[in-house]
Amino acid sequence: MKEIAKHFAIKGNILDIKPLGNGLINDTLLVTTDGPDNYVLQKINNAIFKDVDLLQHNIDCATAHIRRKLAGDPDIDRKVLTFLPCKETGKTYWFDGEAYWRISVFIKDAYTYETVDPKYSYFAGKAFGNFEAMLADIPDTLGETIPDFHNMELRARQLHEAVEADAAGRMAEPEVKEILAKMLPFEEEMCKAERMYREGILPKRICHCDTKVNNMMFDADGNILCVIDLDTLMPSFVFSDFGDFLRTAANTVAEDDPAWEKVDFKMDIFEAFAKGYLEGATFLTPIEKENLPFAACLFPYMQAVRFFTDYINGDTYYKIKYADHNLVRTRNQWALFEAARAKVPQMKEIIDAK
Ligand code: GN1
Ligand code: MG
């Protein structure tokens, strides 16, 4: 690890390197030094992010653009991530012959949370809305780091392919059949965004595409500092950021809690987040705005489909901690989808009133 870190111009001597956070995709480490900064060292999951050069291009362009927008802010280094260039290549990643690595400056005195109350939810809405607004006029062309990442038609197709292949022999499980039978009837409705895009009435914009609560950093006073985990930053529908935040923040329990009878969709979180988001995302078209309740249902649905597909495939994508972890996650997200769906009329009232 120390050898890898040496390919980047870090200041000071490395004192310690230890695991950080709980992401499901990349391996993340904290590098402590005796210099002015500590660092975050990440091994990029190249099986999932196949084009690391494009990935870092997106991140470099976005962070540079946000930096320009925040010019003059005395706390700028805590409000936008700084990735170090590799000494040999000048790129913000290093390929050691086997794996891709990158290093960013660890943001000081910042906190992430797994849950938020309505007050923080409002701040988060504003921050993600602002984030999209700041990137709305980015001059560079960004690519899709995972092609069709939040394309529901693709996710539905992948589920069908998994069922067809039955690679892990799990289709024989009664529970699997039962979940599949519940999911399929909603497929067409949930693929509405892709249809609207083809009709030319729904745009793609630069979105974060992984707006989980824990991808947001707060200072000690609860003010939002910045948005982190930029790997999935790419052109997408605004539904991605709106829906994925609520998927994690409005759930009464964690996304893998086996007590799915306790799952509910918290409307106070929805209302606060929607308020902040609509204040920040000043560019929304009427179609985007009126479909925000749809987005709140789409993301639990899509995530249920993704976890379920991975379970059927034999757990090849998400890191798991026990044998049926992906099935438990599926159940949980399905319960959230049902809870959110029941609240769409209330959501519509809230959005219409804003
Ligand atoms: C993954 O990397 P992480 O844990 O923040 C996933 C998201 C899922 C999430 C579910 C690249 O995010 O799309 O919503 O797990 N990221 C990727 O917890 O697939
Ligand atoms: Mg994360």
Side-chain angles (χ1 to χ4, degrees), residues 22-26 28 42 208 210 212-216 228-231:
N22 52 2
L24 301 186
I25 307 291
N26 298 317
T28 307
Q42 276 190 313
H208 181 278
D210 190 13
K212 292 203 288 197
V213 176
N214 62 13
N215 280 336
M216 175 137 276
I228 56 170
D229 210 347
L230 305 177
D231 299 321

Side-chain angles (χ1 to χ4, degrees), residues 68-82:
R68 286 194 289 271
K69 298 247 158 158
L70 297 178
D73 188 320
D75 208 12
I76 190 161
D77 289 325
R78 291 205 303 164
K79 293 190 176 169
V80 56
L81 296 177
T82 305

Side-chain angles (χ1 to χ4, degrees), residues 47 100 171 225 276 316:
Y100 290 85
M171 288 314 299
L225 286 170
T316 59

